[in-house]
PDB file of all heavy atoms in Angstrom:
ATOM      1  N   ASP A  23     -12.239 -15.154  -0.088  1.00  0.00           N
ATOM      2  CA  ASP A  23     -11.645 -14.466   1.054  1.00  0.00           C
ATOM      3  C   ASP A  23     -10.463 -15.272   1.599  1.00  0.00           C
ATOM      4  O   ASP A  23     -10.666 -16.210   2.400  1.00  0.00           O
ATOM      5  CB  ASP A  23     -12.687 -14.308   2.186  1.00  0.00           C
ATOM      6  CG  ASP A  23     -13.906 -13.476   1.770  1.00  0.00           C
ATOM      7  OD1 ASP A  23     -13.908 -12.929   0.646  1.00  0.00           O
ATOM      8  OD2 ASP A  23     -14.842 -13.380   2.583  1.00  0.00           O
ATOM      9  N   HIS A  25      -8.438 -15.941   4.026  1.00  0.00           N
ATOM     10  CA  HIS A  25      -8.081 -15.788   5.443  1.00  0.00           C
ATOM     11  C   HIS A  25      -6.738 -16.480   5.714  1.00  0.00           C
ATOM     12  O   HIS A  25      -6.467 -17.556   5.153  1.00  0.00           O
ATOM     13  CB  HIS A  25      -9.102 -16.517   6.322  1.00  0.00           C
ATOM     14  CG  HIS A  25     -10.467 -15.911   6.344  1.00  0.00           C
ATOM     15  ND1 HIS A  25     -10.918 -15.137   7.380  1.00  0.00           N
ATOM     16  CD2 HIS A  25     -11.483 -15.995   5.469  1.00  0.00           C
ATOM     17  CE1 HIS A  25     -12.164 -14.765   7.147  1.00  0.00           C
ATOM     18  NE2 HIS A  25     -12.531 -15.276   5.989  1.00  0.00           N
ATOM     19  N   LYS A  60     -17.231 -13.011  -5.215  1.00  0.00           N
ATOM     20  CA  LYS A  60     -17.106 -11.779  -4.420  1.00  0.00           C
ATOM     21  C   LYS A  60     -15.783 -11.791  -3.649  1.00  0.00           C
ATOM     22  O   LYS A  60     -15.726 -12.252  -2.504  1.00  0.00           O
ATOM     23  CB  LYS A  60     -18.293 -11.673  -3.455  1.00  0.00           C
ATOM     24  CG  LYS A  60     -18.346 -10.377  -2.669  1.00  0.00           C
ATOM     25  CD  LYS A  60     -19.520 -10.362  -1.708  1.00  0.00           C
ATOM     26  CE  LYS A  60     -19.327 -11.235  -0.509  1.00  0.00           C
ATOM     27  NZ  LYS A  60     -18.335 -10.740   0.474  1.00  0.00           N
ATOM     28  N   GLN A  62     -13.138 -10.316  -1.254  1.00  0.00           N
ATOM     29  CA  GLN A  62     -13.094  -9.270  -0.227  1.00  0.00           C
ATOM     30  C   GLN A  62     -11.700  -8.642  -0.295  1.00  0.00           C
ATOM     31  O   GLN A  62     -10.697  -9.292  -0.013  1.00  0.00           O
ATOM     32  CB  GLN A  62     -13.360  -9.883   1.149  1.00  0.00           C
ATOM     33  CG  GLN A  62     -14.124  -9.028   2.122  1.00  0.00           C
ATOM     34  CD  GLN A  62     -13.679  -7.594   2.251  1.00  0.00           C
ATOM     35  OE1 GLN A  62     -12.489  -7.263   2.166  1.00  0.00           O
ATOM     36  NE2 GLN A  62     -14.628  -6.706   2.474  1.00  0.00           N
ATOM     37  N   PHE A  65      -8.478  -8.889   2.264  1.00  0.00           N
ATOM     38  CA  PHE A  65      -7.617 -10.076   2.373  1.00  0.00           C
ATOM     39  C   PHE A  65      -6.448 -10.023   1.387  1.00  0.00           C
ATOM     40  O   PHE A  65      -5.459 -10.737   1.544  1.00  0.00           O
ATOM     41  CB  PHE A  65      -8.434 -11.349   2.143  1.00  0.00           C
ATOM     42  CG  PHE A  65      -9.425 -11.607   3.241  1.00  0.00           C
ATOM     43  CD1 PHE A  65     -10.769 -11.320   3.068  1.00  0.00           C
ATOM     44  CD2 PHE A  65      -9.004 -12.109   4.461  1.00  0.00           C
ATOM     45  CE1 PHE A  65     -11.678 -11.550   4.083  1.00  0.00           C
ATOM     46  CE2 PHE A  65      -9.910 -12.338   5.486  1.00  0.00           C
ATOM     47  CZ  PHE A  65     -11.255 -12.055   5.284  1.00  0.00           C
ATOM     48  N   ASP A  94     -15.911  -6.677  -3.127  1.00  0.00           N
ATOM     49  CA  ASP A  94     -16.379  -6.308  -1.792  1.00  0.00           C
ATOM     50  C   ASP A  94     -15.370  -5.360  -1.161  1.00  0.00           C
ATOM     51  O   ASP A  94     -14.342  -5.791  -0.644  1.00  0.00           O
ATOM     52  CB  ASP A  94     -16.562  -7.574  -0.950  1.00  0.00           C
ATOM     53  CG  ASP A  94     -17.209  -7.289   0.385  1.00  0.00           C
ATOM     54  OD1 ASP A  94     -17.634  -6.129   0.612  1.00  0.00           O
ATOM     55  OD2 ASP A  94     -17.293  -8.220   1.202  1.00  0.00           O
ATOM     56  N   LYS A  96     -16.842  -2.174   0.332  1.00  0.00           N
ATOM     57  CA  LYS A  96     -17.644  -1.388   1.289  1.00  0.00           C
ATOM     58  C   LYS A  96     -17.154   0.042   1.401  1.00  0.00           C
ATOM     59  O   LYS A  96     -16.922   0.559   2.486  1.00  0.00           O
ATOM     60  CB  LYS A  96     -17.651  -2.063   2.655  1.00  0.00           C
ATOM     61  CG  LYS A  96     -18.308  -3.443   2.630  1.00  0.00           C
ATOM     62  CD  LYS A  96     -18.487  -4.012   4.018  1.00  0.00           C
ATOM     63  CE  LYS A  96     -19.082  -5.389   3.995  1.00  0.00           C
ATOM     64  NZ  LYS A  96     -18.219  -6.435   3.418  1.00  0.00           N
ATOM     65  N   THR A 124     -19.512  -3.259  -3.340  1.00  0.00           N
ATOM     66  CA  THR A 124     -20.316  -2.985  -2.148  1.00  0.00           C
ATOM     67  C   THR A 124     -19.972  -1.573  -1.656  1.00  0.00           C
ATOM     68  O   THR A 124     -18.829  -1.134  -1.752  1.00  0.00           O
ATOM     69  CB  THR A 124     -20.031  -3.998  -1.028  1.00  0.00           C
ATOM     70  OG1 THR A 124     -18.615  -4.063  -0.797  1.00  0.00           O
ATOM     71  CG2 THR A 124     -20.552  -5.379  -1.400  1.00  0.00           C
ATOM     72  N   LEU A 151     -25.045  -1.277   1.737  1.00  0.00           N
ATOM     73  CA  LEU A 151     -25.329  -1.932   3.019  1.00  0.00           C
ATOM     74  C   LEU A 151     -26.673  -1.450   3.563  1.00  0.00           C
ATOM     75  O   LEU A 151     -26.918  -0.240   3.656  1.00  0.00           O
ATOM     76  CB  LEU A 151     -24.225  -1.605   4.033  1.00  0.00           C
ATOM     77  CG  LEU A 151     -22.799  -2.018   3.649  1.00  0.00           C
ATOM     78  CD1 LEU A 151     -21.811  -1.574   4.731  1.00  0.00           C
ATOM     79  CD2 LEU A 151     -22.707  -3.518   3.427  1.00  0.00           C
ATOM     80  N   LEU A 153     -29.170  -4.031   5.794  1.00  0.00           N
ATOM     81  CA  LEU A 153     -29.374  -4.816   7.025  1.00  0.00           C
ATOM     82  C   LEU A 153     -28.291  -5.890   7.036  1.00  0.00           C
ATOM     83  O   LEU A 153     -28.466  -6.975   6.479  1.00  0.00           O
ATOM     84  CB  LEU A 153     -30.769  -5.450   7.009  1.00  0.00           C
ATOM     85  CG  LEU A 153     -31.948  -4.486   7.157  1.00  0.00           C
ATOM     86  CD1 LEU A 153     -33.255  -5.142   6.700  1.00  0.00           C
ATOM     87  CD2 LEU A 153     -32.075  -3.993   8.603  1.00  0.00           C
ATOM     88  N   THR A 154     -27.176  -5.584   7.639  1.00  0.00           N
ATOM     89  CA  THR A 154     -26.009  -6.461   7.496  1.00  0.00           C
ATOM     90  C   THR A 154     -26.137  -7.697   8.385  1.00  0.00           C
ATOM     91  O   THR A 154     -26.977  -7.765   9.286  1.00  0.00           O
ATOM     92  CB  THR A 154     -24.709  -5.695   7.801  1.00  0.00           C
ATOM     93  OG1 THR A 154     -24.784  -5.153   9.120  1.00  0.00           O
ATOM     94  CG2 THR A 154     -24.497  -4.569   6.797  1.00  0.00           C
ATOM     95  N   SER A 155     -25.262  -8.669   8.126  1.00  0.00           N
ATOM     96  CA  SER A 155     -25.414  -9.980   8.767  1.00  0.00           C
ATOM     97  C   SER A 155     -24.855 -10.015  10.186  1.00  0.00           C
ATOM     98  O   SER A 155     -25.124 -10.952  10.929  1.00  0.00           O
ATOM     99  CB  SER A 155     -24.700 -11.047   7.925  1.00  0.00           C
ATOM    100  OG  SER A 155     -23.291 -10.874   7.996  1.00  0.00           O
ATOM    101  N   ASN A 156     -24.079  -8.998  10.564  1.00  0.00           N
ATOM    102  CA  ASN A 156     -23.405  -9.031  11.873  1.00  0.00           C
ATOM    103  C   ASN A 156     -24.329  -8.545  12.983  1.00  0.00           C
ATOM    104  O   ASN A 156     -25.216  -7.724  12.750  1.00  0.00           O
ATOM    105  CB  ASN A 156     -22.133  -8.160  11.837  1.00  0.00           C
ATOM    106  CG  ASN A 156     -22.422  -6.726  11.432  1.00  0.00           C
ATOM    107  OD1 ASN A 156     -23.201  -6.495  10.518  1.00  0.00           O
ATOM    108  ND2 ASN A 156     -21.850  -5.777  12.114  1.00  0.00           N
ATOM    109  N   VAL A 197     -27.465  -4.929   0.544  1.00  0.00           N
ATOM    110  CA  VAL A 197     -26.868  -6.015   1.313  1.00  0.00           C
ATOM    111  C   VAL A 197     -27.788  -6.284   2.497  1.00  0.00           C
ATOM    112  O   VAL A 197     -28.000  -5.396   3.332  1.00  0.00           O
ATOM    113  CB  VAL A 197     -25.448  -5.657   1.798  1.00  0.00           C
ATOM    114  CG1 VAL A 197     -24.872  -6.809   2.621  1.00  0.00           C
ATOM    115  CG2 VAL A 197     -24.539  -5.317   0.628  1.00  0.00           C
ATOM    116  N   GLY A 199     -28.397  -9.413   5.211  1.00  0.00           N
ATOM    117  CA  GLY A 199     -27.839 -10.690   5.655  1.00  0.00           C
ATOM    118  C   GLY A 199     -28.867 -11.812   5.724  1.00  0.00           C
ATOM    119  O   GLY A 199     -30.046 -11.569   6.023  1.00  0.00           O
ATOM    120  N   LEU A 216     -27.736  -8.862  -2.031  1.00  0.00           N
ATOM    121  CA  LEU A 216     -26.604  -9.705  -1.644  1.00  0.00           C
ATOM    122  C   LEU A 216     -26.906 -10.171  -0.230  1.00  0.00           C
ATOM    123  O   LEU A 216     -27.083  -9.340   0.667  1.00  0.00           O
ATOM    124  CB  LEU A 216     -25.290  -8.913  -1.676  1.00  0.00           C
ATOM    125  CG  LEU A 216     -24.075  -9.689  -1.136  1.00  0.00           C
ATOM    126  CD1 LEU A 216     -23.673 -10.809  -2.087  1.00  0.00           C
ATOM    127  CD2 LEU A 216     -22.896  -8.746  -0.900  1.00  0.00           C
ATOM    128  N   PRO A 218     -25.187 -12.136   2.441  1.00  0.00           N
ATOM    129  CA  PRO A 218     -24.081 -12.847   3.084  1.00  0.00           C
ATOM    130  C   PRO A 218     -24.566 -13.442   4.404  1.00  0.00           C
ATOM    131  O   PRO A 218     -25.673 -13.144   4.856  1.00  0.00           O
ATOM    132  CB  PRO A 218     -23.035 -11.762   3.294  1.00  0.00           C
ATOM    133  CG  PRO A 218     -23.759 -10.479   3.267  1.00  0.00           C
ATOM    134  CD  PRO A 218     -25.091 -10.685   2.611  1.00  0.00           C
ATOM    135  N   GLY A 219     -23.717 -14.282   4.957  1.00  0.00           N
ATOM    136  CA  GLY A 219     -24.101 -14.933   6.209  1.00  0.00           C
ATOM    137  C   GLY A 219     -24.690 -16.305   5.966  1.00  0.00           C
ATOM    138  O   GLY A 219     -25.037 -17.023   6.904  1.00  0.00           O
ATOM    139  N   TYR A 220     -24.803 -16.665   4.695  1.00  0.00           N
ATOM    140  CA  TYR A 220     -25.270 -18.006   4.306  1.00  0.00           C
ATOM    141  C   TYR A 220     -24.099 -18.953   4.566  1.00  0.00           C
ATOM    142  O   TYR A 220     -22.969 -18.679   4.163  1.00  0.00           O
ATOM    143  CB  TYR A 220     -25.615 -17.960   2.812  1.00  0.00           C
ATOM    144  CG  TYR A 220     -26.247 -19.182   2.219  1.00  0.00           C
ATOM    145  CD1 TYR A 220     -27.578 -19.497   2.461  1.00  0.00           C
ATOM    146  CD2 TYR A 220     -25.523 -20.016   1.374  1.00  0.00           C
ATOM    147  CE1 TYR A 220     -28.164 -20.610   1.878  1.00  0.00           C
ATOM    148  CE2 TYR A 220     -26.107 -21.133   0.778  1.00  0.00           C
ATOM    149  CZ  TYR A 220     -27.428 -21.419   1.040  1.00  0.00           C
ATOM    150  OH  TYR A 220     -28.013 -22.520   0.462  1.00  0.00           O
ATOM    151  N   ALA A 222     -21.334 -20.306   6.867  1.00  0.00           N
ATOM    152  CA  ALA A 222     -20.531 -20.244   8.100  1.00  0.00           C
ATOM    153  C   ALA A 222     -21.173 -19.392   9.200  1.00  0.00           C
ATOM    154  O   ALA A 222     -20.986 -19.665  10.385  1.00  0.00           O
ATOM    155  CB  ALA A 222     -19.130 -19.728   7.784  1.00  0.00           C
ATOM    156  N   GLN A 223     -21.932 -18.365   8.844  1.00  0.00           N
ATOM    157  CA  GLN A 223     -22.563 -17.520   9.877  1.00  0.00           C
ATOM    158  C   GLN A 223     -23.944 -18.039  10.286  1.00  0.00           C
ATOM    159  O   GLN A 223     -24.651 -17.421  11.081  1.00  0.00           O
ATOM    160  CB  GLN A 223     -22.672 -16.069   9.376  1.00  0.00           C
ATOM    161  CG  GLN A 223     -21.320 -15.391   9.177  1.00  0.00           C
ATOM    162  CD  GLN A 223     -21.457 -13.984   8.616  1.00  0.00           C
ATOM    163  OE1 GLN A 223     -22.266 -13.182   9.085  1.00  0.00           O
ATOM    164  NE2 GLN A 223     -20.654 -13.678   7.604  1.00  0.00           N
ATOM    165  N   SER A 244     -24.721 -15.647  -0.359  1.00  0.00           N
ATOM    166  CA  SER A 244     -23.270 -15.566  -0.490  1.00  0.00           C
ATOM    167  C   SER A 244     -22.564 -16.258   0.665  1.00  0.00           C
ATOM    168  O   SER A 244     -22.916 -16.066   1.828  1.00  0.00           O
ATOM    169  CB  SER A 244     -22.857 -14.083  -0.528  1.00  0.00           C
ATOM    170  OG  SER A 244     -21.483 -13.978  -0.726  1.00  0.00           O
ATOM    171  N   SER A 245     -21.574 -17.047   0.318  1.00  0.00           N
ATOM    172  CA  SER A 245     -20.830 -17.787   1.324  1.00  0.00           C
ATOM    173  C   SER A 245     -19.362 -17.807   0.953  1.00  0.00           C
ATOM    174  O   SER A 245     -19.019 -17.978  -0.215  1.00  0.00           O
ATOM    175  CB  SER A 245     -21.380 -19.214   1.406  1.00  0.00           C
ATOM    176  OG  SER A 245     -20.728 -19.910   2.424  1.00  0.00           O
ATOM    177  N   SER A 246     -18.509 -17.630   1.927  1.00  0.00           N
ATOM    178  CA  SER A 246     -17.065 -17.680   1.694  1.00  0.00           C
ATOM    179  C   SER A 246     -16.479 -18.934   2.335  1.00  0.00           C
ATOM    180  O   SER A 246     -16.201 -19.930   1.668  1.00  0.00           O
ATOM    181  CB  SER A 246     -16.386 -16.420   2.245  1.00  0.00           C
ATOM    182  OG  SER A 246     -16.991 -15.253   1.746  1.00  0.00           O
ATOM    183  N   ARG A 247     -16.332 -18.891   3.673  1.00  0.00           N
ATOM    184  CA  ARG A 247     -15.577 -19.966   4.342  1.00  0.00           C
ATOM    185  C   ARG A 247     -16.147 -21.348   4.108  1.00  0.00           C
ATOM    186  O   ARG A 247     -15.392 -22.318   3.984  1.00  0.00           O
ATOM    187  CB  ARG A 247     -15.511 -19.672   5.857  1.00  0.00           C
ATOM    188  CG  ARG A 247     -14.530 -18.577   6.202  1.00  0.00           C
ATOM    189  CD  ARG A 247     -14.719 -18.090   7.610  1.00  0.00           C
ATOM    190  NE  ARG A 247     -15.997 -17.406   7.788  1.00  0.00           N
ATOM    191  CZ  ARG A 247     -16.445 -16.939   8.933  1.00  0.00           C
ATOM    192  NH1 ARG A 247     -15.715 -17.089  10.032  1.00  0.00           N
ATOM    193  NH2 ARG A 247     -17.611 -16.316   9.014  1.00  0.00           N
ATOM    194  N   GLU A 248     -17.486 -21.458   4.031  1.00  0.00           N
ATOM    195  CA  GLU A 248     -18.066 -22.800   3.908  1.00  0.00           C
ATOM    196  C   GLU A 248     -17.597 -23.502   2.622  1.00  0.00           C
ATOM    197  O   GLU A 248     -17.433 -24.723   2.605  1.00  0.00           O
ATOM    198  CB  GLU A 248     -19.592 -22.714   3.931  1.00  0.00           C
ATOM    199  CG  GLU A 248     -20.222 -24.097   3.932  1.00  0.00           C
ATOM    200  CD  GLU A 248     -21.500 -24.134   4.725  1.00  0.00           C
ATOM    201  OE1 GLU A 248     -21.391 -24.218   5.968  1.00  0.00           O
ATOM    202  OE2 GLU A 248     -22.570 -24.070   4.124  1.00  0.00           O
TER     203      GLU A 248
HETATM  204  O1  LIG B 301     -20.910  -7.056   2.061  1.00  0.00           O
HETATM  205  C1  LIG B 301     -20.628  -8.199   2.424  1.00  0.00           C
HETATM  206  O2  LIG B 301     -20.233  -9.019   1.616  1.00  0.00           O
HETATM  207  C2  LIG B 301     -20.926  -8.605   3.799  1.00  0.00           C
HETATM  208  C3  LIG B 301     -21.964  -7.935   4.408  1.00  0.00           C
HETATM  209  C4  LIG B 301     -22.497  -8.424   5.611  1.00  0.00           C
HETATM  210  O3  LIG B 301     -23.503  -7.940   6.107  1.00  0.00           O
HETATM  211  N1  LIG B 301     -21.908  -9.514   6.173  1.00  0.00           N
HETATM  212  C5  LIG B 301     -20.824 -10.148   5.623  1.00  0.00           C
HETATM  213  O4  LIG B 301     -20.377 -11.165   6.183  1.00  0.00           O
HETATM  214  N2  LIG B 301     -20.283  -9.664   4.466  1.00  0.00           N
HETATM  215  C6  LIG B 301     -19.077 -10.309   3.863  1.00  0.00           C
HETATM  216  O5  LIG B 301     -19.447 -11.631   3.438  1.00  0.00           O
HETATM  217  C7  LIG B 301     -18.387 -12.553   3.689  1.00  0.00           C
HETATM  218  C8  LIG B 301     -18.884 -13.607   4.666  1.00  0.00           C
HETATM  219  O6  LIG B 301     -17.965 -14.647   4.752  1.00  0.00           O
HETATM  220  P1  LIG B 301     -18.339 -16.070   5.408  1.00  0.00           P
HETATM  221  O7  LIG B 301     -18.918 -15.772   6.761  1.00  0.00           O
HETATM  222  O8  LIG B 301     -17.019 -16.766   5.466  1.00  0.00           O
HETATM  223  O9  LIG B 301     -19.324 -16.724   4.488  1.00  0.00           O
HETATM  224  C9  LIG B 301     -17.217 -11.717   4.161  1.00  0.00           C
HETATM  225  O10 LIG B 301     -16.470 -11.333   3.005  1.00  0.00           O
HETATM  226  C10 LIG B 301     -17.871 -10.483   4.774  1.00  0.00           C
HETATM  227  O11 LIG B 301     -17.032  -9.345   4.709  1.00  0.00           O
END
Side-chain angles (χ1 to χ4, degrees):
D23 299 354
H25 291 258
K60 185 182 74 71
Q62 215 314 325
F65 292 102
D94 187 7
K96 297 188 182 67
T124 52
L151 301 178
L153 291 162
T154 57
S155 70
N156 57 318
V197 179
L216 174 70
Y220 186 75
Q223 294 177 47
S244 183
S245 184
S246 307
R247 285 166 293 177
E248 185 146 280

